[in-house]
Amino acid sequence: MAAVWQQVLAVDARYAAYRTPRWPQFRTQYVRRRSQLLREQAKGGEPEGATRRWYLRVRARLLAQRYGALSEAGSCRGHSGSALRGSRTTLDRMEDFEDDPRAPRGHRRSLSRGSHPGAPPERPPGVVPTPLAEASRAMAGDTTLGENYAFAGVYHVFDQHSDSAVPRVQFAHDDRHLLACCSLDGTISVCRLAPGPPAVLRVLRGHGAGVADVAWSLANDVLVSASLDATLRLWAPADGRCIRRVADPDGAALLCCAFQPLNNNLTVVGSARHMVRVVNISTGKAARGGAGRLPGRVLALCFDAAGRVLWAGDDRGSVSSFLCDPNTGRLTKASRVVVQAGGSITSLSARAWASREAPDPSLLVNACPDRLLLFRVVEEEGSGAPGLRLRRSFPTRHREQPLRSCFCPLMSFRQGACVVTGSEDACVHFFDVGRSARATVNTLQGHGGAVLAVAFNCDESLLASSDATGTVIVWRRQHAGRASPPSPASLPGPRPQMTQTAAVSKGVY
């Protein structure tokens, strides 16, 4: 699909919830049909820049007149700003990128974010290229980061949680096509993307309130869910059975959960009463010594790659670390860092390597308001406790929603390193962690509300993103040097596409 029609689709998606308020099941059908019509129009060629800007402005104004101004980003629908602000968001991105008449077809250049063609690649301070880094570049075919994270379009759209936010999506470990989604409607859906047409295998029911988080066990035989009904539940995804129900001893809403990576018999849960607890899933009881207290509500949890350090974020803007004994589940408070005073920490992701050229542990943090932070994990002098040193800060639209981000799982095999995050501007953003400026690599548009969660599958062929309106979009990545995987038969006609706001890879258009 040509770039201008991708922009039009992004504008239309913002108004999808208004077209059929009584029949939400028709929203996905509208997006699919609109995409098909736009693709047919795109065959006629790309219009001139002035015509493109004029058309987008007129369409945005007509939609605003027909359906009214969009609600604020923090509302239940998560639309961004007013109709004028929503249209300007699209136009600003479009105007930043003009066709380069000297470039081959399919290429575009950035006027505001792109790096200078002759400039040497930026490297983090103190990082020295290694033979492993050169080997990784050879494996990637010396392609750019923008080419590695170019997307060919939408693989499938799930809308089984219509009108209820989906705060978490997660692919199963080492499985390309098994996806779990939790929703504030109180259910969890397990989806299979292949083989065969993508489908919802089963919907797990039992929670009495919204489900805030879900996590797979290492063997993918158990799902754990944390709910606002103050219970933790264990599920067998193979048949949908609830294996165990564990009530919070304080009766507090549970907001996040995570398995202990070295001992999946233990799971950690964070509550609205500032507590972090380790639970033995075999007995349903709390581990002895496996509790810790934070200054605020616990919104995010993650373990480091070694499984020895537990990171926890709260709604007071602090990140705390605990040393965790993988055998007993005992927690020992190690450190606390105020990352965003007066804000909230809504997502934490840890990784042992930021890239093959930066072999240092890293922590990715979504901090409200408006920041995505990448920290280097260091050992504090004297105490030996894990500490944080800010490495990069990326701007995002983040004011009220519990946004999540993640590392790209195969970044160590690419030319550069990349992270991806949701945003309240209804977009998915990719950032290059090696750049101090112009870090945006790609932006995907197509959601009709704030994008709450993102997740890659194990080989990066698919990216799942969920939003505040209950829509889950699975994006198909364009593999450099070879054709994309076939689209599923269940999505008739051409698929809705995204807009790339950085250097576009060869062959995407």
Side-chain angles (χ1 to χ4, degrees):
M1 183 184 291
V4 60
W5 306 123
Q6 295 172 7
Q7 296 283 358
V8 173
L9 182 63
V11 173
D12 286 343
R14 296 178 185 275
Y15 288 89
Y18 291 87
R19 291 189 173 91
T20 55
R22 297 183 181 179
W23 300 281
Q25 66 272 20
F26 292 131
R27 297 175 193 169
T28 305
Q29 295 180 11
Y30 173 84
V31 171
R32 292 173 179 170
R33 178 56 178 160
R34 182 65 173 155
S35 173
Q36 184 177 15
L37 293 174
L38 291 175
R39 183 181 287 268
E40 293 174 359
Q41 292 289 335
K43 294 178 181 178
E46 185 92 4
E48 297 296 329
T51 304
R52 176 173 54 193
R53 287 190 289 271
W54 174 83
Y55 179 81
L56 285 171
R57 287 193 182 97
V58 170
R59 182 156 188 82
R61 289 169 184 167
L62 290 175
L63 288 171
Q65 291 174 8
R66 175 64 178 83
Y67 299 107
L70 293 176
S71 57
E72 290 300 318
S75 68
C76 62
R77 283 174 176 168
H79 293 288
S80 56
S82 65
L84 179 59
R85 266 200 348 240
S87 63
R88 284 303 307 166
T89 299
T90 301
L91 292 173
D92 289 343
R93 290 194 181 92
M94 182 271 294
E95 289 172 355
D96 282 344
F97 299 93
E98 296 294 341
D99 295 331
D100 187 348
R102 297 168 297 177
R105 181 174 178 82
H107 288 259
R108 300 167 81 200
R109 62 185 178 91
S110 168
L111 300 182
S112 60
R113 298 185 182 91
S115 57
H116 191 274
E122 299 182 48
R123 300 188 188 281
V127 173
V128 179
T130 65
L132 288 175
E134 300 305 322
S136 296
R137 283 186 176 152
M139 292 175 64
D142 201 31
T143 54
T144 67
L145 201 62
E147 289 174 325
N148 278 312
Y149 292 105
F151 281 74
V154 171
Y155 187 76
H156 192 69
V157 179
F158 290 104
D159 57 0
Q160 66 270 17
H161 300 293
S162 181
D163 279 341
S164 293
V166 178
R168 180 72 157 180
V169 289
Q170 189 178 43
F171 280 97
H173 298 286
D174 298 322
D175 191 312
R176 296 175 57 194
H177 301 119
L178 193 60
L179 177 69
C181 315
C182 67
S183 172
L184 295 187
D185 64 8
T187 66
I188 304 154
S189 56
V190 180
C191 309
R192 169 66 70 181
L193 297 169
V200 178
L201 295 181
R202 54 193 53 86
V203 178
L204 312 181
R205 306 180 188 275
H207 281 295
V211 182
D213 200 3
V214 67
W216 291 92
S217 67
L218 195 60
N220 299 329
D221 57 346
V222 175
L223 273 172
V224 62
S225 58
S227 172
L228 304 182
D229 67 0
T231 65
L232 183 78
R233 286 179 180 259
L234 301 171
W235 309 85
D239 56 16
R241 289 182 300 112
C242 179
I243 303 172
R244 188 178 297 279
R245 175 185 178 273
V246 182
D248 183 74
D250 299 327
L254 301 183
L255 307 177
C256 51
C257 58
F259 274 102
Q260 219 293 347
L262 298 181
N263 182 0
N264 274 192
N265 198 44
L266 301 176
T267 187
V268 186
V269 64
S271 80
R273 291 198 178 175
H274 309 186
M275 295 301 297
V276 174
R277 285 191 172 88
V278 180
V279 178
N280 186 313
I281 65 174
S282 296
T283 64
K285 297 181 179 180
R288 179 173 297 180
R293 189 172 186 85
L294 269 63
R297 297 188 307 151
V298 185
L299 303 180
L301 293 169
C302 79
F303 280 92
D304 70 345
R308 303 285 180 177
V309 178
L310 171 67
W311 297 97
D314 60 44
D315 65 353
R316 300 292 180 86
S318 67
V319 175
S320 302
S321 65
F322 298 85
L323 302 181
C324 181
D325 186 331
N327 297 315
T328 65
R330 184 178 183 85
L331 296 178
T332 304
K333 187 70 172 289
S335 65
R336 174 174 171 258
V337 178
V338 178
V339 171
Q340 186 87 331
S344 298
I345 307 302
T346 62
S347 176
L348 296 171
S349 299
R351 189 176 176 88
W353 292 62
S355 74
R356 284 298 178 98
E357 296 183 353
D360 51 352
S362 300
L363 187 71
L364 185 63
V365 180
N366 280 97
C368 177
D370 297 340
R371 299 176 77 194
L372 177 66
L373 305 171
L374 180 66
F375 289 94
R376 180 176 287 113
V377 180
V378 298
E379 192 174 286
E380 297 289 359
E381 294 183 7
S383 65
L388 298 176
R389 297 289 182 271
L390 184 62
R391 178 177 171 183
R392 290 284 185 270
S393 176
F394 309 102
T396 60
R397 178 77 66 82
H398 186 184
R399 292 303 174 97
E400 297 183 17
Q401 300 283 4
L403 304 186
R404 296 183 184 273
S405 60
C406 69
F407 289 97
C408 297
L410 300 185
M411 66 169 64
S412 57
F413 298 100
R414 308 297 182 198
Q415 188 179 39
C418 195
V419 295
V420 58
T421 183
S423 176
E424 289 181 11
D425 63 1
C427 298
V428 179
H429 296 277
F430 292 74
F431 296 107
D432 182 354
V433 303
R435 296 182 189 173
S436 57
R438 301 183 300 275
T440 300
V441 173
N442 198 350
T443 298
L444 308 183
Q445 297 181 6
H447 281 281
V451 180
L452 304 182
V454 291
F456 264 114
N457 67 351
C458 59
D459 66 353
E460 292 185 356
S461 60
L462 299 173
L463 172 73
S465 57
S466 62
D467 65 32
T469 69
T471 301
V472 176
I473 298 179
V474 181
W475 309 85
R476 184 176 68 254
R477 190 166 69 85
Q478 174 72 39
H479 292 268
R482 59 189 179 92
S484 300
S487 300
S490 68
L491 193 60
R495 278 53 172 176
Q497 306 273 326
M498 80 297 151
T499 300
Q500 300 192 23
T501 63
V504 180
S505 68
K506 301 177 181 178
V508 173
Y509 298 117

